Amino acid sequence: MTGLRISKALTIAGSDSGGGAGIQADLKTFQELDVYGMSAITAVTVQNTLGVSGVYPLPPEAAAEQIRSVGSDLGVDAVKTGMLFDAGIIRAVSAEIRKFGWERVVVDPVMIAKGGAELLRQEAVLALKEELLPLALVVTPNIPEAEVLAGMAIRTMQDRREAAKIISAMGPKLVVIKGGHDGGDGGVGNVGNAVNTVNGANGEKAGNDGHEGIYERGDSGNMEVVDLIYNGGNFTELSGKRIPTVHTHGTGCTFSAALTAGLAKGLPAPEAIVIARDFIQAAIEDVLALGHGHGPTNHWAYRRRMAVSAR
Ligand SMILES: Nc1ncnc2c1ncn2[C@@H]1O[C@H](COP(=O)(O)OP(=O)(O)OP(=O)(O)O)[C@@H](O)[C@H]1O
Ligand SMILES: Cc1ncc(CO)c(N)n1
């Protein structure tokens, strides 16, 4: 490795004792993508595949000190935020990001764990919107998080586009509204990976028309998963095969960590997003089936596939 430039990424997030989400998922993902990982822990959660049974937030200054410590010594090429828990931590983290002038910033606006545990206090949403989103290069809400940020219900792909525009106006250069919670497109459209570009502010679809329709969350009849990307002017839909599985603990953390790793390596955000989709697709597909509930994804699946395809 001597002489090679090492790409470095920092995750500012909560610890998941079960290892599938939070800091643990982020560091595993950075490592798998050849990026040196560092962490600033905001809270310790007591968590396994069955749910969260305890949350112990750290004082805001503890998060800030960790960021200052690694930022001033090792250096940071890209940074992501995950669980931030309260407004004090959000303000402290935002102040450090601003001071360092970091621009490759991914904000995963983690709010609620799969089992319903609160990972962000409701009164902290305003701080997230006002302090952190303006610093984001990419923000990656799932559908319920996008509903909270945009202040509207999301039932159709058109609603999702509307919400993306509202969130975009809060400052991030790119908004990715992930489709894991979208269960009701009815399975029409592409199966397998595809990119459909939608042009312009009127949301006219240029590609195929398979993603429209009313949907209800949790309907596992949906055959594809679509992540919607908005760059302030154009919409892009990244679609993939929906894997029917309960083992989706930490999908959002893993996706945003893979995206952050790509940014740390200097990739343009749209390219890093496509690789992150491939990474999470492989991680969900090659199931580990650990624990008795929503198991973690397989963080080494993508690397193994790459190794096989390189042979
Ligand atoms: N069943 C699935 N099959 C394929 N891809 C999926 C599936 N579920 C989620 N994904 C992908 O995983 C990524 C994360 O999406 P998701 O909406 O699940 O995030 P999330 O709710 O924030 O996750 P979590 O809160 O569990 O960390 C997205 O790229 C999404 O397309
Ligand atoms: C610590 C932590 N961060 C994020 C999530 C969301 O997946 C979780 N379950 N736990």
Side-chain angles (χ1 to χ4, degrees):
M1 293 293 271
T2 323
L4 279 186
R5 193 184 173 281
I6 311 287
S7 303
K8 294 158 289 180
L10 167 65
T11 169
I12 305 169
S15 166
D16 167 10
S17 49
I23 288 281
Q24 288 77 0
D26 294 345
L27 292 177
K28 289 175 191 180
T29 303
F30 293 162
Q31 183 74 16
E32 289 296 320
L33 290 168
D34 297 327
V35 169
Y36 181 78
M38 297 165 283
S39 62
I41 295 182
T42 56
V44 173
T45 70
V46 182
Q47 193 171 174
N48 60 22
T49 67
L50 296 168
V52 178
S53 56
V55 174
Y56 298 90
L58 287 178
E61 191 48 27
E65 276 180 37
Q66 294 172 78
I67 298 168
R68 282 200 290 275
S69 177
V70 299
S72 62
D73 177 30
L74 294 123
V76 170
D77 297 310
V79 58
K80 72 157 273 191
T81 64
M83 172 186 179
L84 297 174
F85 194 65
D86 63 28
I89 296 176
I90 291 174
R91 279 194 285 270
V93 166
S94 304
E96 294 306 323
I97 293 176
R98 261 195 306 270
K99 272 190 248 160
F100 278 104
W102 290 327
E103 289 177 358
R104 296 184 157 252
V105 178
V106 176
V107 173
D108 185 15
V110 170
M111 293 183 188
I112 309 270
K114 285 229 158 67
E118 193 177 64
L119 302 179
L120 180 75
R121 291 214 153 116
Q122 279 173 33
E123 61 270 24
V125 171
L126 192 64
L128 185 68
K129 289 203 240 183
E130 290 185 348
E131 299 271 336
L132 197 53
L133 288 196
L135 304 175
L137 174 62
V138 192
V139 62
T140 61
N142 61 26
I143 291 173
E145 289 157 357
E147 290 185 317
V148 171
L149 292 175
M152 60 176 280
I154 299 177
R155 305 242 172 276
T156 64
M157 188 53 86
Q158 190 52 41
D159 293 341
R160 236 206 273 184
R161 289 194 200 111
E162 179 94 34
K165 284 186 189 171
I166 296 172
I167 297 167
S168 169
M170 296 170 190
K173 307 269 180 308
L174 283 166
V175 179
V176 181
I177 305 188
K178 300 166 296 184
H181 295 247
D182 164 10
D185 265 346
V188 198
N190 304 314
V191 174
N193 290 323
V195 180
N196 299 317
T197 303
V198 179
N199 293 314
N202 62 2
E204 232 25 81
K205 193 184 284 258
N208 84 46
D209 213 19
H211 311 305
E212 293 298 336
I214 305 291
Y215 51 75
E216 307 232 331
R217 248 170 261 140
D219 170 0
S220 58
N222 194 4
M223 300 279 287
E224 67 171 2
V225 59
V226 181
D227 295 344
L228 177 73
I229 304 160
Y230 182 59
N231 67 3
N234 298 305
F235 291 100
T236 305
E237 293 178 9
L238 269 187
S239 67
K241 190 172 62 167
R242 179 177 288 275
I243 315 299
T245 177
V246 296
H247 300 301
T248 54
H249 178 70
T251 49
C253 304
T254 302
F255 170 79
S256 58
L259 162 57
T260 308
L263 294 176
K265 290 174 180 171
L267 294 179
E271 239 173 86
I273 291 169
V274 170
I275 293 172
R277 262 287 321 152
D278 289 347
F279 189 95
I280 192 61
Q281 188 78 24
I284 299 171
E285 237 161 44
D286 291 1
V287 68
L288 295 175
L290 295 176
H292 298 88
H294 290 286
T297 67
N298 182 342
H299 290 97
W300 58 73
Y302 178 83
R303 174 171 48 85
R304 288 198 176 170
R305 284 185 187 189
M306 287 291 142
V308 169
S309 66
R311 267 192 218 142

Coordinates of all heavy atoms in Angstrom, one line a residue, residues 57-58 60 83-91 119-121 123-124 127:
P57 N -27.7 8.5 24.9 CA -27.0 9.5 24.1 C -25.8 10.0 24.9 O -25.7 10.1 26.1 CB -28.1 10.6 24.0 CG -29.0 10.3 25.1 CD -29.0 8.9 25.4
L58 N -24.8 10.5 24.1 CA -23.6 11.1 24.7 C -23.8 12.6 24.7 O -24.7 13.2 24.0 CB -22.4 10.8 23.8 CG -21.8 9.4 23.9 CD1 -20.6 9.3 22.9 CD2 -21.3 9.1 25.3
P60 N -23.4 16.4 23.7 CA -23.0 17.0 22.4 C -21.5 17.2 22.3 O -20.9 17.0 21.3 CB -23.8 18.3 22.4 CG -25.0 18.1 23.2 CD -24.5 17.1 24.3
M83 N -27.6 8.4 13.1 CA -28.4 8.7 14.3 C -27.7 9.8 15.1 O -26.6 9.7 15.5 CB -28.5 7.5 15.2 CG -29.1 7.7 16.5 SD -29.0 6.3 17.6 CE -29.8 6.9 19.1
L84 N -28.5 10.9 15.3 CA -27.9 12.1 16.0 C -28.7 12.4 17.3 O -28.3 13.1 18.1 CB -27.9 13.3 15.1 CG -27.0 13.2 13.9 CD1 -27.2 14.4 12.9 CD2 -25.6 13.0 14.2
F85 N -29.9 11.8 17.4 CA -30.7 11.7 18.6 C -31.3 13.0 19.1 O -32.5 13.1 19.3 CB -30.0 11.1 19.8 CG -31.0 10.7 20.9 CD1 -32.0 9.8 20.6 CD2 -31.0 11.4 22.1 CE1 -32.9 9.5 21.6 CE2 -32.0 11.0 23.1 CZ -32.9 10.1 22.8
D86 N -30.5 14.1 19.3 CA -31.2 15.3 19.8 C -30.6 16.6 19.2 O -29.6 16.5 18.5 CB -31.2 15.4 21.3 CG -29.8 15.4 21.9 OD1 -28.9 16.0 21.3 OD2 -29.7 15.0 23.1
A87 N -31.3 17.7 19.5 CA -31.0 19.0 18.8 C -29.6 19.4 19.2 O -28.8 20.0 18.4 CB -32.0 20.0 19.1
G88 N -29.2 19.2 20.5 CA -27.9 19.6 21.0 C -26.8 18.9 20.2 O -25.8 19.5 19.8
I89 N -26.9 17.6 19.9 CA -25.9 16.9 19.2 C -25.9 17.4 17.7 O -24.8 17.6 17.1 CB -26.2 15.3 19.2 CG1 -26.0 14.8 20.7 CG2 -25.2 14.6 18.3 CD1 -26.3 13.4 20.9
I90 N -27.1 17.6 17.2 CA -27.2 18.1 15.8 C -26.4 19.4 15.6 O -25.6 19.7 14.7 CB -28.6 18.3 15.3 CG1 -29.3 16.9 15.2 CG2 -28.7 19.0 14.0 CD1 -30.7 16.9 14.9
R91 N -26.7 20.3 16.6 CA -26.0 21.6 16.5 C -24.5 21.5 16.7 O -23.7 22.1 15.9 CB -26.6 22.6 17.6 CG -27.9 23.2 17.2 CD -28.3 24.4 18.1 NE -28.7 23.9 19.4 CZ -30.0 23.6 19.7 NH1 -30.9 23.8 18.8 NH2 -30.4 23.2 20.9
L119 N -35.0 7.2 17.3 CA -33.6 7.4 17.2 C -33.2 8.9 17.0 O -32.1 9.3 17.1 CB -32.9 6.6 16.1 CG -33.2 5.1 16.2 CD1 -32.5 4.4 15.0 CD2 -32.6 4.5 17.5
L120 N -34.3 9.7 16.8 CA -34.2 11.2 16.8 C -35.4 11.7 17.5 O -36.5 11.4 17.2 CB -34.2 11.7 15.3 CG -34.1 13.2 15.1 CD1 -32.7 13.7 15.4 CD2 -34.6 13.6 13.7
R121 N -35.2 12.6 18.5 CA -36.3 13.2 19.2 C -37.1 14.1 18.2 O -36.5 14.8 17.4 CB -35.7 14.1 20.3 CG -35.1 13.3 21.4 CD -35.4 14.0 22.8 NE -35.4 13.0 23.8 CZ -34.5 13.0 24.8 NH1 -33.5 13.9 24.9 NH2 -34.6 12.2 25.8
E123 N -38.5 16.8 18.6 CA -38.3 18.3 18.6 C -36.9 18.6 18.0 O -36.6 19.8 17.8 CB -38.3 18.8 20.0 CG -37.4 18.2 21.0 CD -37.9 17.0 21.7 OE1 -38.8 16.3 21.2 OE2 -37.4 16.6 22.8
A124 N -36.2 17.6 17.5 CA -34.9 17.8 16.9 C -35.0 18.0 15.4 O -34.0 18.3 14.7 CB -33.9 16.7 17.2
A127 N -33.9 21.4 14.0 CA -32.5 21.6 14.0 C -31.9 20.8 12.8 O -31.0 21.3 12.1 CB -31.9 21.1 15.3

